[in-house]
């Protein structure tokens, strides 16, 4: 990572790019020497009853991965959530994780020898975001690499402050970074019943649909809301007033 690459990144940040523009620049210019196969950036989202890592930019992910992992509950043990417990850059071998874990190389070309580098981003001493990129070799932490990582970390702190990702309301940030698509009336009815603790079979019987139809509608609602599972879809629908809150 050359001084000029960091300077170009600083110039970009001063222009106020969105998360996707930032990550594209990181993948193609700032981190190009590492030949990253994936680059993602997440910010911490403080919701009323839980916390999630929200994807604000990505390179190298499949559409399915983007849909599945646009939000990651902080209770899931993956590098971007582990970053919340760190303050300094670090890396982990993909061999240390199950290949089905998100944001790792889960495709047929999976190679357990590659590393994922994680750079936590903290404000006022609290980690609130993470940049993660997967590289096709072990990371060599020589003095230059370490100083470059720290310089990149400092620029990402500047980005969060200038882009307004921290300090804005949860609702505003969510709508601007990961807008949810509208749900159909049937999807809303199904999620409302699911929120009451009803099983798939009981929802199907109550609404007169097959269980496969109910499951399909829940999957579509999960995708439309930009979450990863049924419980997250219920919470998200409640936050957006698609269904009643308890």
């Amino acid at each position: 990572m050359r001084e000029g690459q960091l300077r170009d990144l600083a110039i970009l940040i001063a222009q106020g790019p969105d998360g996707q523009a930032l990550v594209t620049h990181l993948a193609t210019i700032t981190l190009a020497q590492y030949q990253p196969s994936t680059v993602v950036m997440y910010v911490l989202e403080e919701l009323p009853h839980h916390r999630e890592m929200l994807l604000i930019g990505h390179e190298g992910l499949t559409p399915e991965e983007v849909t599945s992992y646009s939000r990651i509950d902080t209770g899931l043990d993956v590098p971007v959530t582990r970053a919340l417990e760190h303050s300094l850059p670090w890396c982990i071998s993909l061999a240390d994780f199950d290949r089905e874990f998100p944001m790792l190389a889960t495709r047929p070309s999976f190679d357990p020898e590659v590393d994922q580098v994680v750079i936590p981003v903290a404000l006022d001493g609290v980690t609130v975001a993470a940049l993660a990129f997967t590289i096709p070799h072990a990371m060599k932490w020589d003095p230059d690499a370490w100083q470059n990582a720290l310089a990149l970390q400092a620029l990402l702190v500047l980005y969060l402050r200038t882009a307004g990702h921290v300090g804005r309301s949860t609702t505003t940030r969510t709508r601007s970074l990961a807008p949810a698509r509208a749900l159909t009336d049937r999807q809303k009815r199904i999620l409302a019943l699911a929120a009451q603790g009803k099983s798939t079979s009981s929802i199907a019987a109550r609404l007169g649909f097959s269980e496969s139809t109910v499951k399909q509608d829940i999957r579509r609602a999960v995708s439309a809301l930009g979450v990863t599972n049924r419980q997250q879809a219920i919470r998200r629908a409640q936050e957006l007033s698609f269904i009643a809150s308890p």
Side-chain angles (χ1 to χ4, degrees), residues 5-238:
Q5 291 171 307
L6 292 171
R7 183 174 61 249
D8 288 345
L9 178 60
I11 292 172
L12 175 71
I13 288 173
Q15 297 170 354
D18 62 17
Q20 185 56 53
L22 174 73
V23 170
T24 297
H25 184 95
L26 289 167
T28 58
I29 299 176
T30 312
L31 302 172
Q33 72 185 75
Y34 297 110
Q35 300 178 305
S37 57
T38 62
V39 182
V40 296
M41 185 159 179
Y42 281 83
V43 295
L44 179 64
E45 188 83 339
E46 296 279 0
L47 298 172
H49 305 295
H50 69 293
R51 304 192 307 166
E52 295 177 343
M53 297 296 280
L54 176 67
L55 181 66
I56 65 168
H58 61 89
E59 285 291 330
L61 300 185
T62 66
E64 293 77 13
E65 287 171 327
V66 174
T67 298
S68 298
Y69 308 129
S70 61
R71 290 173 171 273
I72 299 179
D73 193 285
T74 57
L76 186 63
D77 181 26
V78 293
V80 293
T81 57
R82 285 190 180 187
L84 298 175
E85 307 301 324
H86 290 257
S87 59
L88 295 174
W90 56 289
C91 66
I92 186 167
S93 170
L94 300 194
D96 293 336
F97 278 86
D98 186 289
R99 63 174 295 170
E100 296 303 320
F101 274 30
M103 301 297 94
L104 304 185
T106 57
R107 303 179 197 102
S109 59
F110 175 78
D111 181 353
E113 299 304 316
V114 304
D115 274 3
Q116 184 164 84
V117 181
V118 183
I119 300 183
V121 188
L123 293 178
D124 302 320
V126 178
T127 299
V128 294
L131 172 73
F133 55 97
T134 305
I135 58 177
H137 49 76
M139 184 67 177
K140 295 180 175 60
W141 288 109
D142 57 36
D144 286 342
W146 183 248
Q147 290 302 317
N148 286 334
L150 293 178
L152 176 56
Q153 187 180 44
L155 287 172
L156 293 176
V157 171
L158 177 63
Y159 171 72
L160 287 186
R161 291 193 184 281
T162 57
H165 291 312
V166 176
R168 295 164 54 190
S169 71
T170 294
T171 300
T172 300
R173 189 162 67 247
T174 299
R175 288 175 179 170
S176 64
L177 296 176
R181 301 194 298 273
L183 299 180
T184 66
D185 288 341
R186 189 170 73 188
Q187 288 167 353
K188 291 176 184 177
R189 292 199 302 272
I190 288 173
L191 286 182
L193 290 171
Q196 298 171 18
K198 305 292 185 184
S199 66
T200 299
S201 59
S202 63
I203 293 173
R206 174 130 176 210
L207 298 180
F209 304 132
S210 67
E211 288 188 39
S212 62
T213 296
V214 172
K215 290 177 181 178
Q216 183 179 61
D217 270 335
I218 290 176
R219 285 196 297 270
R220 287 175 176 171
V222 166
S223 176
L225 293 171
V227 295
T228 60
N229 58 49
R230 173 176 173 149
Q231 290 305 311
Q232 290 179 5
I234 291 170
R235 291 194 296 264
R236 183 86 165 107
Q238 290 170 338

